């Protein structure tokens, strides 16, 4: 086999899986991660696995008592379980699979987390038989996407418009008003959590990055999930692996500011100022590395239960305050105000319902025709709150008994009055949210019996949950490694990774991979974002899915325009 064969017919320098370059002084270096989310945990894994940094030289500083960030899952069968949300996966999350393929399973050390995910998704193949429901309890035909020629032209024009020309433009400014009444928009908005006032540039990225998913978008096909919630399936085994290698977890502590100094034309972080259980000053040595997760989609989350609504926290989140402090010292480090200055446009509320027994889930299976764990989102398109629910494979928590079941849901329009409960979702108790759900399912005649099976309805209000989708311009998201810094990498959902999509685990993991490989010059690159739109077969399938038979001529013309400009 020749080098050309190995490199896929191109230059051998494009081969990304070479053995990382050795760093001679790696044992003399320390690394500090600000924030205990998946980006930091992944970065610590890459430092140990690829750079051979000793685990005891790595420090992860997290303000809460629990690592994992938005990949969470908590609770018990007595008080009910709680999920703020859950990220979906797909086969082309190369950085994520690279990470999970290195970490042993908690249940079987002979397997990796990746092995578990692959085996689980072979058994639970996603394909919804009931994606949309009208009120009360009427299945809606979701076979067609409902796009007119005007909508298709707007979509085509968006795809061929360079991203930099879309700075500050919203989705509702780009598309016709009736676009937001199409089945396509219901599928899109509820699968990805886009709102009409969000960035059309971000929507364009999603359309390009996930074009291969368009044919199954209405059935949620090709969406991969973990066997349990993502805290139990991903965070716990990674955390165990890191602890076994001596990584230091500094919990209940937040970094509030940093010191930046210039040396020989480059800037360096020299001090970290902390508050909390381990408050004080951390001196950063000349060879040490600093990784800061910018912003947080779950900052200032508040919680409610069966009898109490969550109380919205409008205060400035700690992660956003730190980012603003960084920008005060160096304006080149992005623009947090582009994302976190209008909570009413970035918030929504989720709910987790815990039941005794499986009466509700069995009834839901019978109504939808979806096997639990395979159907994905069911959206109530007539809901004023635009409510959706998911019935996961049970158990969804490691400590969940066999006689307890759990479903999760959320509403995008939390300030609108409900259709049965005449108050905004944000002011509704868990019980009232459950009753609103029963109304849309058409099951109010059984409400007393079904209420008796409810252990709790725990709710989560998240002020910044879609902050990353807000309209932006070039420079609002800084690069992972700012060009004039010698020891700083920025991680998470608010850095710029060309072609990749935010609100994904892949985005955070890839930011960590880029940060580690770049700062230590390991001679290895993170995989590029998948480009399905470069494949003619994908383009054809996507276009054929979106257009009706009477629009086939438009299909030919639009494909030619997209391919050849």
């Amino acid at each position: 086999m020749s080098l050309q064969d190995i490199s896929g017919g191109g230059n051998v320098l494009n081969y990304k899986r070479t053995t990382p370059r050795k760093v001679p002084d790696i044992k003399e270096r320390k690394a500090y991660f600000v924030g205990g989310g998946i980006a930091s945990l992944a970065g610590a894994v890459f430092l140990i696995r690829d750079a051979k940094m000793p685990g005891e030289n790595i420090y992860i500083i997290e303000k809460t008592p629990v690592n994992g960030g938005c990949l969470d899952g908590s609770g018990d069968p007595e008080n009910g379980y709680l999920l703020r949300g859950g990220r979906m996966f797909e086969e082309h999350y190369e950085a994520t699979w690279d990470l999970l393929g290195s970490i042993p399973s908690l249940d079987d050390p002979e397997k990796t987390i990746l092995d578990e995910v692959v085996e689980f998704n072979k058994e639970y193949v996603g394909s919804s038989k009931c994606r949309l429901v009208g009120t009360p309890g009427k299945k809606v035909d979701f076979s067609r996407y409902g796009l007119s020629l005007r909508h298709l032209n707007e979509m085509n024009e968006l795809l061929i418009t360079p991203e930099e020309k879309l700075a500050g433009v919203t989705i509702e400014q780009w598309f016709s008003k009736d676009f937001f009444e199409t089945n396509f928009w219901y599928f899109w908005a509820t699968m990805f959590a886009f709102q009409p006032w969000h960035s059309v540039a971000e929507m364009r990225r999603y359309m390009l990055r996930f074009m291969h998913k368009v044919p199954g978008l209405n059935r949620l096909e090709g969406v991969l999930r973990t066997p349990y919630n993502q805290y139990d399936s991903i965070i716990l085994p990674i955390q165990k692996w890191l602890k076994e290698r001596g990584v230091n977890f500094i919990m209940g502590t937040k970094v509030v500011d940093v010191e930046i100094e210039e040396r020989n034309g480059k800037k360096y972080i020299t001090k970290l100022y902390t508050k909390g259980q381990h408050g004080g000053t951390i001196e950063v040595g000349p060879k040490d590395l600093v990784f800061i997760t910018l912003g947080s989609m779950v900052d200032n989350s508040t919680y409610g239960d069966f009898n109490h609504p969550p109380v919205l926290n409008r205060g400035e989140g700690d992660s956003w305050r730190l980012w603003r402090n960084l920008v005060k010292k160096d304006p080149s480090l992005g623009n947090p105000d582009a994302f976190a200055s209008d909570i009413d446009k970035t918030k929504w509320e989720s709910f987790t319902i815990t039941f005794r027994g499986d009466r509700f889930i069995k009834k839901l299976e019978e109504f939808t025709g979806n096997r639990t764990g395979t159907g994905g989102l069911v959206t109530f398109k007539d809901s004023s709150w635009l409510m959706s629910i998911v019935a996961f494979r049970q158990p969804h928590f490691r400590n969940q008994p066999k006689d307890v079941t759990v479903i999760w849901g959320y509403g995008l329009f939390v300030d609108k009055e409900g259709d049965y409960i005449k108050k905004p979702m944000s002011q509704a108790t868990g019980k009232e949210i459950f009753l609103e759900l029963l109304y849309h399912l058409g099951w109010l005649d059984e409400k007393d019996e079904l209420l008796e099976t409810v252990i709790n309805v725990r709710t989560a209000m998240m002020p910044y949950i879609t902050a990353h989708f807000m309209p932006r311009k070039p420079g609002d998201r800084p690069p992972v490694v700012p060009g004039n810094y010698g020891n700083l990498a920025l991680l998470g959902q608010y850095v710029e990774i060309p072609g990749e999509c935010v609100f994904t685990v892949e985005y955070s993991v890839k930011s960590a991979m880029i940060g580690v490989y770049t700062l230590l010059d390991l001679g290895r690159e993170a995989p590029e974002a998948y480009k399905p739109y470069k494949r003619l077969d994908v383009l054809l399938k996507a276009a054929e899915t979106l257009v009706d038979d009477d629009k086939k001529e438009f299909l030919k013309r639009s494909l030619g325009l997209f391919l050849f400009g």
Side-chain angles (χ1 to χ4, degrees):
M1 180 179 287
S2 68
L3 287 177
Q4 191 175 37
D5 292 331
I6 294 174
S7 63
N11 190 310
V12 70
L13 295 178
N14 291 329
Y15 187 60
K16 303 295 192 297
R17 292 293 178 257
T18 52
T19 301
R21 182 185 71 84
K22 289 185 179 180
V23 183
D25 58 356
I26 194 66
K27 293 184 179 180
E28 302 169 24
R29 295 168 174 256
K30 293 180 180 178
Y32 299 94
F33 288 89
V34 179
I38 185 62
S40 290
L41 299 180
V45 172
F46 298 141
L47 280 176
I48 295 170
R49 188 194 71 182
D50 298 332
K52 309 304 179 187
M53 178 177 279
E56 58 267 24
N57 291 12
I58 300 172
Y59 299 81
I60 297 177
I61 307 166
E62 167 58 38
K63 72 172 183 176
T64 73
V66 181
N67 288 308
C70 69
L71 300 189
D72 61 359
S74 60
D76 55 62
E78 291 76 33
N79 299 296
Y81 291 97
L82 176 66
L83 293 165
R84 286 180 290 194
R87 306 284 76 75
M88 295 177 286
F89 298 83
E90 63 107 19
E91 66 268 30
H92 296 290
Y93 281 6
E94 305 297 345
T96 301
W97 305 138
D98 182 275
L99 169 69
L100 301 188
S102 299
I103 307 297
S105 157
L106 287 183
D107 298 321
D108 183 355
E110 297 299 314
K111 295 180 179 180
T112 66
I113 306 174
L114 176 58
D115 294 330
E116 284 186 331
V117 172
V118 170
E119 290 174 8
F120 177 77
N121 284 280
K122 282 181 179 178
E123 181 178 356
Y124 292 87
V125 180
S127 185
S128 178
K129 297 178 181 178
C130 182
R131 181 65 179 87
L132 298 176
V133 174
T135 302
K138 298 175 182 176
K139 292 184 183 180
V140 173
D141 179 11
F142 62 96
S143 60
R144 291 177 177 268
Y145 288 55
L147 297 168
S148 68
L149 280 175
R150 184 176 66 256
H151 303 145
L152 291 167
N153 271 314
E154 291 166 346
M155 208 174 273
N156 188 59
E157 186 69 23
L158 177 59
L159 291 175
I160 63 175
T161 301
E163 185 174 298
E164 58 270 19
K165 292 188 176 181
L166 301 171
V169 180
T170 67
I171 300 170
E172 60 190 347
Q173 288 171 333
W174 187 271
F175 286 97
S176 305
K177 188 175 180 180
D178 57 358
F179 172 76
F180 300 98
E181 299 169 6
T182 65
N183 278 355
F184 176 88
W185 176 250
Y186 283 112
F187 302 149
W188 188 271
T190 55
M191 183 175 179
F192 298 123
F194 274 98
Q195 303 271 36
W197 51 82
H198 285 156
S199 165
V200 79
E202 213 61 61
M203 181 173 179
R204 177 183 182 275
R205 277 209 191 183
Y206 266 72
M207 290 172 66
L208 292 171
R209 174 64 175 79
F210 295 112
M211 191 172 287
H212 58 301
K213 297 301 179 191
V214 169
L217 185 68
N218 58 335
R219 298 180 301 278
L220 294 162
E221 291 178 348
V223 173
L224 307 178
R225 296 190 180 276
T226 52
Y228 297 105
N229 65 81
Q230 288 154 9
Y231 181 78
D232 284 341
S233 285
I234 295 177
I235 300 303
L236 282 181
I238 293 177
Q239 185 174 262
K240 179 176 183 287
W241 190 90
L242 293 173
K243 284 183 175 179
E244 289 172 347
R245 284 152 182 79
V247 171
N248 305 278
F249 291 93
I250 304 174
M251 309 304 293
T253 304
K254 60 185 178 183
V255 175
V256 296
D257 209 346
V258 304
E259 198 72 46
I260 302 174
E261 292 183 9
E262 189 167 335
R263 303 175 191 154
N264 301 319
K266 283 217 167 195
K267 294 181 179 180
Y268 290 82
I269 304 296
T270 58
K271 293 179 182 179
L272 302 175
Y273 298 104
T274 64
K275 288 185 179 181
Q277 292 181 24
H278 301 276
T281 302
I282 297 174
E283 300 286 343
V284 179
K287 294 184 177 182
D288 297 344
L289 307 175
V290 176
F291 300 84
I292 299 176
T293 297
L294 294 182
S296 169
M297 65 177 74
V298 290
D299 241 0
N300 287 2
S301 295
T302 54
Y303 308 99
D305 56 29
F306 194 76
N307 296 310
H308 305 92
V311 178
L312 176 64
N313 183 350
R314 290 187 174 275
E316 182 182 31
D318 290 322
S319 68
W320 300 99
R321 186 180 301 112
L322 173 60
W323 189 4
R324 288 186 173 103
N325 285 340
L326 291 174
V327 171
K328 287 176 184 176
K329 292 179 170 63
D330 185 349
S332 74
L333 298 180
N335 178 21
D337 290 340
F339 308 101
S341 60
D342 193 344
I343 282 172
D344 290 322
K345 290 186 176 180
T346 61
K347 71 178 190 290
W348 47 256
E349 183 177 355
S350 69
F351 56 90
T352 312
I353 308 177
T354 307
F355 300 93
R356 297 180 194 87
D358 60 3
R359 176 172 177 171
F360 184 92
I361 277 187
K362 289 294 185 185
K363 190 174 175 64
L364 190 64
E365 275 190 342
E366 183 179 341
F367 169 69
T368 62
N370 293 330
R371 176 190 175 199
T372 298
T374 65
L377 282 174
V378 175
T379 294
F380 302 94
K381 66 176 299 184
D382 296 331
S383 164
S384 297
W385 300 343
L386 195 52
M387 182 189 288
S388 298
I389 58 172
V390 180
F392 301 108
R393 192 284 305 257
Q394 308 292 314
H396 196 55
F397 294 80
R398 286 187 175 275
N399 65 341
Q400 183 180 332
K402 289 183 179 180
D403 61 346
V404 170
T405 51
V406 173
I407 71 164
W408 177 85
Y410 76 105
L412 285 178
F413 300 127
V414 298
D415 292 328
K416 289 190 176 181
E417 186 179 272
D419 302 288
Y420 176 71
I421 299 298
K422 299 301 181 181
K423 61 173 68 172
M425 184 180 186
S426 56
Q427 298 176 21
T429 65
K431 177 182 178 180
E432 290 169 334
I433 288 173
F434 182 62
L435 291 173
E436 182 81 3
L437 173 60
L438 294 183
Y439 168 75
H440 287 291
L441 284 166
W443 299 351
L444 280 176
D445 57 334
E446 298 181 53
K447 71 177 188 300
D448 293 336
E449 295 91 338
L450 290 170
L451 275 169
E452 286 180 3
T453 70
V454 175
I455 294 173
N456 203 351
V457 182
R458 298 182 65 182
T459 57
M461 174 64 75
M462 298 164 285
Y464 301 106
I465 190 60
T466 48
H468 40 269
F469 283 160
M470 290 298 282
R472 57 177 171 79
K473 62 183 185 301
D476 287 343
R477 297 196 301 221
V480 174
V481 179
N484 55 338
Y485 279 81
N487 73 338
L488 172 66
L490 304 171
L491 309 182
Q493 301 293 302
Y494 301 94
V495 297
E496 180 54 44
I497 303 177
E500 202 54 87
C501 291
V502 293
F503 214 12
T504 63
V505 175
E506 179 74 353
Y507 208 86
S508 292
V509 172
K510 190 172 285 189
S511 73
M513 187 178 277
I514 294 169
V516 170
Y517 290 2
T518 304
L519 284 182
L520 290 172
D521 189 22
L522 293 186
R524 195 179 184 193
E525 296 179 22
E528 294 180 351
Y530 182 54
K531 297 181 175 66
Y533 56 90
K534 296 284 188 179
R535 293 178 48 181
L536 183 58
D537 60 326
V538 171
L539 281 169
L540 284 169
K541 287 180 181 178
E544 288 175 352
T545 301
L546 293 175
V547 304
D548 298 330
D549 290 339
D550 60 343
K551 305 182 184 74
K552 295 301 181 185
E553 187 59 35
F554 169 83
L555 166 61
K556 294 177 183 177
R557 288 188 284 107
S558 61
L559 265 182
L561 184 59
F562 182 73
L563 286 171
F564 305 111

